[in-house]
Amino acid sequence: MSEVNAPRTVTAAGPGEPDPVRESMQVLPRVFAAPLTLLTGRPYAGQRPVRHTPTRHLVNALVSCVLGLALSATALAAGGPLLVLLVPGWAATLHAARNLRMMIYHQCAHQNMWRKRKPDVLVGRLIAAALMIQDFDRYSTEHVGDHHALHHMTTRDPTVQAFLVTLKLRPGMSRGRMWRRVLGVCVSPWFHARFLVARVRSYYTYAPPAWRVGTTLAYVLLAAVVTVLGLWVPVLVAWVLPMTLFFQISNVFRLCVKHSFPQPHQVPRRGREYFASLTNAIFVGERAPSPALPAARRYAAWARWWFRMLFVHFPTRYLVLTGDTVVHDYHHRYPMSREWASYLFAREEDHRRGAPGWSPYHEVWGLVPAIDHVLDSLRTADPEEFAPERLAEVNHRALFMAFED
């Protein structure tokens, strides 16, 4: 096991220090620099920032969606060996949906997408209707009022409610038992059925009447066109499957790395240092093999490294830790940052400046270690503070949507 995968705790480099895992990859040709930064979520020391815009992120998500649907349609039309194209088709479609939900919808809820209320609200409502997720106005209110406030990671926070009610995880549980519950819901038909119903109800219960009518008419018209053209199989396989089963599994894993639970010794429960301690970056990848290894061992190590980067870490980044979720700690420090669209470099720049006014940044390398860290924080949390009976008002219709920020 590589040394970056061995730890199960959050690590912190000194203020402004480069990360040794990311720096180890600089032995590769420069052509790999930008792709590795996107994959890992961490720029290397001295890397020139790449600036993005909110509009570019939106366009990229829409292009990814079209590409995914085209690949899936091609696979179904051609059949035979080309059915293998369903895999990248599903992946591209899911990646688009996750970026729309996790990044675009999220920034619109903060009215920080373009910092213009009308277009931010319009895009947010369109995404809610297209993905059939919690009504945009309701999400904005709950997210800003309960998640980005003094109630962050308390029993009023929908994220905490999702852990205690939906996943039925409790303080004092062993890490292994928690993992079994997490994996169990991912393959549970009952869980996915409830999740889907909750998504529909959370939209239709709170969406403005005009949007409910418009959304219903749009879906009825779409269903009629699909029926006339006899396209139900392609629609169900290419769109409905990734938007339900795959989307919801991704939600579960994303929930499990969002925020750690406060510990009994963490008092008082306020201040920048306290709130910063509940969120860490999750970088994706592992240390590159040492050039000092003997030739045979070096070749084997590089073969293993490339295999894990392509078939373990890339799917993690592309399907679960999409967009700016790898540096979610930056968002919780600066929720209204104008630099959010260039999130990787914005966070790295703040880190290199020593995070002025805040405690140092913390990070975990790898999805599994990141989940372990959150589960361990719940295991050692105060069982009285996080007892299910302490939940005052649980919005069951929108609870499943609490899986994301």
Side-chain angles (χ1 to χ4, degrees):
M1 177 179 290
S2 66
E3 78 179 78
V4 73
N5 287 329
R8 291 293 187 263
T9 57
V10 174
T11 59
E17 292 183 5
D19 188 280
V21 179
R22 182 65 182 90
E23 295 307 303
S24 72
M25 302 177 195
Q26 289 214 59
V27 299
L28 290 164
R30 188 63 63 186
V31 69
F32 292 107
L36 283 173
T37 294
L38 287 174
L39 171 58
T40 63
R42 189 75 189 265
Y44 63 80
Q47 184 174 4
R48 184 178 180 179
V50 178
R51 301 300 178 187
H52 298 284
T53 65
T55 302
R56 179 175 177 177
H57 284 302
L58 177 59
V59 170
N60 286 346
L62 296 177
V63 169
S64 178
C65 183
V66 171
L67 175 63
L69 293 174
L71 286 172
S72 297
T74 300
L76 292 169
L82 287 182
L83 281 174
V84 71
L85 291 177
L86 281 174
V87 175
W90 287 332
T93 303
L94 177 59
H95 175 76
R98 300 297 294 163
N99 271 342
L100 287 171
R101 173 58 183 87
M102 293 298 300
M103 187 162 54
I104 308 301
Y105 184 79
H106 181 206
Q107 290 296 333
C108 287
H110 284 276
Q111 294 188 23
N112 196 41
M113 180 69 177
W114 293 286
R115 289 178 171 260
K116 297 179 180 178
R117 187 180 184 280
K118 287 186 177 180
D120 283 2
V121 171
L122 175 61
V123 170
R125 287 177 173 172
L126 287 172
I127 292 174
L131 301 183
M132 196 48 58
I133 54 179
Q134 185 178 7
D135 167 59
F136 176 76
D137 294 333
R138 181 75 177 186
Y139 169 77
S140 300
T141 300
E142 292 182 350
H143 178 70
V144 176
D146 290 331
H147 189 69
H148 278 272
L150 293 176
H151 304 301
H152 179 57
M153 292 309 288
T154 69
T155 52
R156 280 193 57 174
D157 189 335
T159 298
V160 173
Q161 296 175 2
F163 265 98
L164 301 181
V165 177
T166 307
L167 297 185
K168 297 186 179 353
L169 301 181
R170 303 285 184 270
M173 279 186 176
S174 68
R175 183 199 293 170
R177 188 179 177 190
M178 291 186 188
W179 263 107
R180 287 191 291 273
R181 289 206 172 182
V182 169
L183 296 177
V185 300
C186 288
V187 297
S188 168
W190 174 238
F191 168 80
H192 286 288
R194 291 176 61 209
F195 198 157
L196 182 57
V197 170
R199 287 169 61 181
V200 175
R201 293 180 66 185
S202 67
Y203 177 80
Y204 274 99
T205 299
Y206 299 109
W211 278 85
R212 277 181 276 175
V213 172
T215 301
T216 302
L217 291 176
Y219 277 111
V220 169
L221 177 61
L222 178 62
V225 172
V226 170
T227 300
V228 170
L229 298 178
L231 296 176
W232 273 111
V233 171
V235 168
L236 291 173
V237 174
W239 178 255
V240 176
L241 180 59
M243 288 301 101
T244 53
L245 180 64
F246 302 155
F247 186 90
Q248 292 168 184
I249 290 174
S250 181
N251 262 9
V252 173
F253 288 121
R254 169 60 186 142
L255 167 68
C256 292
V257 296
K258 279 175 58 178
H259 302 289
S260 56
F261 283 76
Q263 300 302 290
H265 66 272
Q266 289 185 282
V267 289
R269 300 289 178 84
R270 61 179 180 271
R272 287 186 169 187
E273 183 174 358
Y274 166 69
F275 286 109
S277 71
L278 303 180
T279 314
N280 52 265
I282 306 162
F283 298 133
V284 182
E286 54 194 78
R287 189 186 298 270
S290 170
L293 288 173
R297 289 182 57 193
R298 186 168 67 253
Y299 295 147
W302 274 110
R304 180 182 182 276
W305 186 85
W306 277 112
F307 178 85
R308 289 181 56 79
M309 292 293 285
L310 292 173
F311 297 105
V312 176
H313 298 302
F314 174 73
T316 292
R317 176 76 166 106
Y318 194 68
L319 303 176
V320 179
L321 300 174
T322 56
D324 59 351
T325 57
V326 287
V327 291
H328 193 56
D329 53 351
Y330 178 79
H331 170 72
H332 271 268
R333 295 179 185 223
Y334 308 103
M336 296 299 292
S337 170
R338 292 179 179 270
E339 300 298 317
W340 75 265
S342 302
Y343 46 87
L344 300 182
F345 292 95
R347 194 259 192 197
E348 186 66 14
E349 182 179 347
D350 194 49
H351 163 67
R352 290 173 184 170
R353 290 189 292 114
W358 292 86
S359 54
Y361 280 101
H362 296 77
E363 63 269 345
V364 179
W365 278 84
L367 179 65
V368 172
I371 294 176
D372 284 343
H373 169 67
V374 172
L375 297 184
D376 286 346
S377 72
L378 176 57
R379 178 174 56 84
T380 56
D382 186 343
E384 294 186 4
E385 179 181 0
F386 294 103
E389 53 269 20
R390 300 238 5 216
L391 301 180
E393 295 181 7
V394 180
N395 181 2
H396 290 281
R397 292 179 176 177
L399 187 57
F400 281 89
M401 304 318 298
F403 279 36
E404 302 174 81
D405 277 345

